[in-house]
């Protein structure tokens, strides 16, 4: 059984999470997640924004075209860790914020042979960002940032239809 960290690293390296990918029809995403997510009903117009679904730390958003336009993971929970999605079979446990550091993530990406580079557009102030070859952007707190002095923690990772070509 994979952990949340395994799911996150796989997503960063491939751009897919539990079979979900950018451009996938919302109805297919809804079916993969067991139905009842609302992803099978696109907004009536672009002015209404996107329709989203969140399960643990997993976020899936579809646009007016009825296709996934944003996919990613965000810290959740009271301790700032990543929560396992309940609807994604085979994912166990919870990875706490302390375990999901810049060093852990980049080490795991390197072990998979995944190329990444600094994402200057998303690096500023107390945030450091990298972009993988799968066009997934990962943002981290800078070392020493935050009220408790902890830094280099993964905050979120996303890919979207508007992601610039690598």
């Amino acid at each position: 059984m994979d952990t949340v960290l395994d799911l996150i690293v796989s997503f960063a390296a491939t751009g897919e999470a539990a079979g979900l990918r950018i451009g996938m029809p919302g109805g297919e995403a809804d079916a993969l997640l067991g139905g009842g997510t609302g992803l099978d009903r696109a907004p009536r117009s672009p002015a209404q924004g996107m329709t989203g679904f969140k399960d643990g730390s997993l976020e899936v958003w579809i646009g007016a075209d009825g296709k996934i336009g944003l996919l990613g993971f965000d810290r959740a929970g009271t301790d700032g860790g990543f929560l396992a999605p309940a609807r994604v079979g085979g994912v166990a446990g919870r990875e706490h914020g302390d375990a999901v550091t810049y060093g852990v993530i980049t080490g795991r990406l390197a072990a998979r042979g995944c190329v990444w580079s600094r994402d200057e557009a998303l690096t500023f102030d107390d945030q450091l960002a990298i972009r993988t070859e799968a066009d997934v952007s990962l943002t981290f707190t800078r070392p020493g940032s935050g009220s408790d002095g902890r830094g280099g923690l993964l905050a979120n990772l996303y890919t979207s239809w508007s992601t610039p070509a690598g």
Side-chain angles (χ1 to χ4, degrees):
M1 193 173 279
D2 292 336
T3 66
V4 178
L5 182 56
D6 294 328
L7 184 61
I8 286 170
V9 171
S10 176
F11 172 62
T14 66
E16 294 188 12
L20 302 167
R21 67 189 179 290
I22 294 297
M24 172 184 271
E28 286 182 35
D30 180 68
L32 271 174
L33 293 168
T37 65
L39 296 173
D40 55 343
R41 295 181 303 275
R44 288 188 297 272
S45 74
Q48 290 180 304
M50 299 179 93
T51 298
F53 174 76
K54 185 162 177 134
D55 181 9
S57 288
L58 174 68
E59 289 192 37
V60 185
W61 293 82
I62 60 168
D65 63 356
K67 296 180 180 178
I68 295 178
L70 180 74
L71 179 63
F73 293 87
D74 201 358
R75 281 195 286 196
T78 57
D79 67 357
F82 286 86
L83 298 174
R87 292 179 176 230
V88 175
V91 179
R94 171 191 186 123
E95 296 293 339
H96 295 282
D98 289 342
V100 189
T101 64
Y102 179 86
V104 167
I105 293 291
T106 56
R108 290 229 182 166
L109 291 174
R112 287 184 64 125
C114 178
V115 177
W116 56 270
S117 59
R118 185 176 164 115
D119 189 340
E120 294 297 337
L122 295 176
T123 297
F124 52 88
D125 297 331
D126 285 344
Q127 178 172 292
L128 170 67
I130 63 173
R131 182 179 301 273
T132 66
E133 62 190 347
D135 280 332
V136 176
S137 289
L138 296 85
T139 59
F140 300 85
T141 58
R142 286 198 189 261
S145 67
S147 61
D148 60 5
R150 296 184 312 161
L153 297 177
L154 181 64
N156 57 58
L157 59 161
Y158 287 93
T159 189
S160 71
W161 57 266
S162 61
T163 301

